[in-house]
Amino acid sequence: MGVAYFTQIFKPKLSSTYFNPKEWENEGKIYKWFGIHAFRKILVWTGWEKLNKASNPVKKNFTALKHLEYNTRQSEFGHLIIFLIVLAFTIFVILYYGFQQSLSLIILNILLNVYPIGIQRYNRPRLRKAINNYRNFSILNNN
């Protein structure tokens, strides 16, 4: 909640090159291989997608696309910070209590942070492509 509060109130640019697609991501193929689509279906099945769409409806205009693309960076940033915090606790638990006791932390961190990061990294290039297409279409129509 603290990370969400920070990003909602201060609206950092989040313009680091970290948020750009990497060559190894290969147009999302690695995310498909790791089951991002199955995870997205779980989000729909649990109602999370419906809640998210209700609070952030998707509109078909340039400003809405830009806002949606920014939201992917915002969401990814939040999940990344939480992932790192849980990872630190997980390492502590592994060192002091053993791997067996940390298994639930590892599984939850993957499900609640790694997969949501993957979804954002899968969606962002597609949104950027739509933004560029919209931009190019507008330039062609204005000339």
Side-chain angles (χ1 to χ4, degrees):
M1 285 177 33
V3 175
Y5 177 79
F6 173 80
T7 57
Q8 290 298 318
I9 297 298
F10 296 107
K11 302 220 184 288
K13 287 185 180 182
L14 300 173
S15 58
S16 167
T17 57
Y18 162 81
F19 294 105
N20 294 336
K22 307 299 182 248
E23 191 174 314
W24 60 267
E25 290 174 298
N26 199 11
E27 297 180 13
K29 288 180 184 174
I30 192 162
Y31 299 115
K32 290 177 190 174
W33 191 80
F34 278 109
I36 285 297
H37 291 301
F39 187 78
R40 288 169 61 145
K41 286 181 183 180
I42 291 170
L43 292 178
V44 170
W45 179 73
T46 60
W48 179 257
E49 193 72 20
K50 193 173 188 178
L51 285 172
N52 193 32
K53 293 263 191 257
S55 63
N56 294 310
V58 178
K59 297 175 186 153
K60 295 179 181 179
N61 64 49
F62 184 73
T63 305
L65 285 173
K66 292 283 289 176
H67 181 70
L68 192 56
E69 190 275 339
Y70 175 75
N71 282 350
T72 66
R73 289 180 277 140
Q74 209 174 28
S75 178
E76 182 176 349
F77 178 71
H79 282 286
L80 181 62
I81 296 300
I82 296 165
F83 168 79
L84 294 172
I85 292 168
V86 173
L87 181 63
F89 279 108
T90 303
I91 291 169
F92 172 80
V93 171
I94 288 172
L95 293 174
Y96 286 94
Y97 300 103
F99 181 78
Q100 213 55 14
Q101 277 62 31
S102 69
L103 206 50
S104 62
L105 283 172
I106 293 168
I107 292 168
L108 285 174
N109 207 15
I110 290 169
L111 290 175
L112 300 178
N113 294 306
V114 173
Y115 271 95
I117 288 170
I119 287 174
Q120 304 312 320
R121 294 199 68 82
Y122 176 77
N123 287 337
R124 189 173 311 110
R126 297 180 327 151
L127 285 168
R128 287 184 176 177
K129 185 177 180 179
I131 290 167
N132 286 335
N133 288 344
Y134 196 100
R135 203 178 271 143
N136 292 340
F137 181 74
S138 295
I139 290 170
L140 287 173
N141 285 337
N142 287 335
N143 286 337

